[in-house]
Amino acid sequence: MFKNYLKIAWRNLRKQKFYTFLNVFGLALGMASCLLITLYVIDELSYDRSFSNADRIYRINSDIRFGGAEMKLAVAPDPMAFTMLKDYPQLEAVTRLREDGSYLVRRTGATENLQESLVAYADSTFFNVFKIPIVAGDSKRILTEPNTMVISERDVEKYFGKENAIGKTLLLDNNQTYTVTAVMENIPSHSHMSSLNMLLSMSTNKYSREDNWGSHNFITYLLLREGVNAATFEKNFDVVIEKYTGKWVQSVMGASLQELKKSGSFIKYTLMPVTAIHLRSDRTAEISNNSSIQYVYIFGIVAIFLLLIACVNFMNLSTARSANRAKEVGVRKALGSERSSLVNQFLTEAVMLSFISLILAIALAIIALPVFNNLASKEIAFPYQSAIFWCIAIITGIIVGMLAGSYPAFFLSAFQPLKVLKGAVEIEGKGSYLRNALVVFQFMISIMLLVGTGVIYKQLNYIQTKKLGFNKEQVLIVKNAYALDRQSRAFKEHVSNLPNVENATITSFLPTPSSRSDNSMFPEGQLQQDKGVSMQKWSVDLDFVKTLNLEMKTGRAFQENFPTDSSGIIINETAAKILGFPDPIGKKIFSMEDPHGNERQTYTILGVVKNFHFESLRQNIGALSLVLRPSYGLVAVRLKGGDHAKTISQIESLWKRMAPGQPFNYQFMDQDFDKQYRGEERVGQIFITFAVISIIIGCLGLFGLSAYTAERRTKEIGVRKVLGASVSSIVGLLSKEFIKLVLIAILFGSPIAWFAMNTWLQDFAYHIDISWWMFGAAGLLSVVIALLTVSFQSVKAALMNPVKSLRSE
């Protein structure tokens, strides 16, 4: 019987080639899009799951509110890890990382440095928590001694080629020598630590042994013992805060934790599963740029919607073509066929069509995968050898076929044979309401995707054009300036004298991704917790304000002819407001210079700079201060108009003369700024791609429905033409019902799109308002596309010779 079902199904699919093509291609597009998004979601969810015991590894997060600022940190106090290991037997192991940025690295004896983008100090217990295989070296000596290091296999090839790296030395930043004592496998690419290729012994770091519960600088991981509940263990942080942090607060600030809480300040520690970091963590001091679970949810929903739109096409076209199958059903029933056998027949057709579409979808996905990888900045491989994938694909083919064919199967098999054979069945009335609802659903999804795309691009344009309080255009950033050593000032002077250079400044701190330094500042003589202000303290030179075109609200910038400016400070408007000085100029504030707060540096406020965005636009502008102090990480050069390529070449020549053997790396500030929003740019590109696909799938269905409608009303069109109807009136007659459905889709889709995108915008402290014209533009585009799709068939029917039209029935 099943073999007979297959034969009849294949015969019917071949008989209706046009509608079979529309169904297969539409379903294949939906399946291919769903497959690509599913591969993306699986890739995102797989981060950090390759570590054994990943389900028991947690990172300590810190939430602190103090001095008018709230900080969400991915780091914890220096002594917390090993103090907790000592106090709590529920812990199997602990380890810390202290991220130390980029380094210039070369093999001892070599002359050319190479750039290592991320280096971190690590405890010797690192490999007890993260079971990364050691491929060379003595596992008992790993990171136990000062000035020793572990490097990845990738770095062995980079610095030593095919030689044995154990026992050899590397020179970091031209002045620190480390001995390689072990080689580890490359950290998996699907890890939040994947950029780490070089680990330095923590015992080398002078701050690693400090008993300072107020300094949060260490990424701290805990490995819980088997059976320990993380939520229950997390409650122990309250005891830790009371026992250790409370003592530190009392000794430094002369206040208890209760007094701190009364002033609105707090300290809170929580555990985050290591497997959740990539998608659920966006904190200060992350070791890498993470993704967002929000986008996984969004794309997951888009995948489901695209598949549903394709299934809707199948349902629509199947029920619309029911008149052509009605007599077949009547004859079969009259000859004794049961309804169940008819249902099986129609479901067999649907599943066969689904599998043909699935094969085409897999081919389309394989072809499109490189483009999708480039779009999503991924390296997803197609799972050819995964038995699980193929099993899921086959099950999906069956489910999609059953889902798409269920309504047509039960709808068609319900016809009464006597009424069908007499021509007394009102087929159109039975299926038209559902078809109309499904068309509305299709275009509602398309409109939501179009509105979402418009909002994302409008927000990105807002970010790129917003006045930031500083001028990011035509500023060249020369990186690794510490490689210049004592010649950094001379280099700056030579660069400043170039004809196409306006100004230059040396600093590690810029309002684009760079160094940050959180400090607590107090008005002079007022070391109370409710008087403190948490602010950024940036070390800059005399030309910083001028080079970035910052505006002074009151007071003055640093000046060379004022020697006392070395003890001066410039604050921004936010800091001035929190400090509460009516006139801040000349007032004195102090900060705790060393981690213990034993030494205090008092500063005199010289000026107030207007607020500028020194962090992402996702955040409000916080308190900031500038102090005149050497800081050699970067050289920012403001260029004049003219031949920038020539100026860059001149700067590079100066660099090679003054820092021979050091890599010359540079980037423009506006490019650095835009990097912060690459994720949103990718989302926008993916959104518009799938919005276009959803419209194509919807239009395929609309094209088929309009063809069927024109075919069904052939005789009516002929009569109307004989009676004098114009082509335009007939086109309008055939098109208006479809345009009405698109208008209803706009009405229902717009509020949902507004809610979804307004929620997304809340992630930005500074964002656009969603304007009515965005919905109008999306709606107008949908109407035009629908009209063009329907008009092709409508015009074709309207131009047909009425004699032929009347003969057709």
Side-chain angles (χ1 to χ4, degrees), residues 153 237 611:
E153 291 177 295
F237 284 125
N611 279 344

Side-chain angles (χ1 to χ4, degrees), residues 282-434:
D282 183 23
R283 291 172 167 261
T284 300
E286 295 281 358
I287 202 167
S288 62
N289 293 322
N290 294 325
S291 186
S292 170
I293 190 66
Q294 186 182 49
Y295 295 140
V296 171
Y297 291 145
I298 290 171
F299 290 132
I301 293 169
V302 168
I304 293 169
F305 280 166
L306 286 170
L307 193 57
L308 285 176
I309 289 173
C311 291
V312 162
N313 265 3
F314 183 92
M315 291 182 181
N316 270 346
L317 292 174
S318 298
T319 55
R321 299 291 298 173
S322 56
N324 295 25
R325 306 293 297 273
K327 287 187 179 180
E328 177 191 341
V329 172
V331 170
R332 284 174 177 274
K333 281 197 168 184
L335 294 174
S337 289
E338 295 182 358
R339 186 182 182 189
S340 60
S341 66
L342 290 170
V343 169
N344 289 337
Q345 173 63 56
F346 292 126
L347 286 178
T348 300
E349 286 185 25
V351 172
M352 178 182 284
L353 189 144
S354 174
F355 271 99
I356 294 171
S357 301
L358 179 62
I359 293 168
L360 179 59
I362 290 172
L364 288 173
I366 292 170
I367 294 168
L369 189 56
V371 178
F372 182 77
N373 277 333
N374 184 55
L375 201 64
S377 192
K378 288 281 184 183
E379 295 180 359
I380 301 170
F382 196 85
Y384 293 103
Q385 299 178 346
S386 172
I388 295 174
F389 166 77
W390 292 111
C391 289
I392 292 173
I394 292 169
I395 293 169
T396 301
I398 294 171
I399 292 173
V400 169
M402 299 289 283
L403 175 66
S406 57
Y407 177 76
F410 288 103
F411 174 73
L412 292 169
S413 63
F415 291 162
Q416 296 299 318
L418 188 59
K419 290 183 178 181
V420 168
L421 295 174
K422 283 183 175 181
V425 176
E426 294 182 10
I427 294 169
E428 184 59 27
K430 286 188 175 184
S432 61
Y433 292 116
L434 178 65

Side-chain angles (χ1 to χ4, degrees), residues 162 293 378 548 560 604 636 714 795:
K162 295 182 179 180
I293 190 66
K378 288 281 184 183
L548 295 188
E560 191 172 5
T604 302
T714 299
V795 171

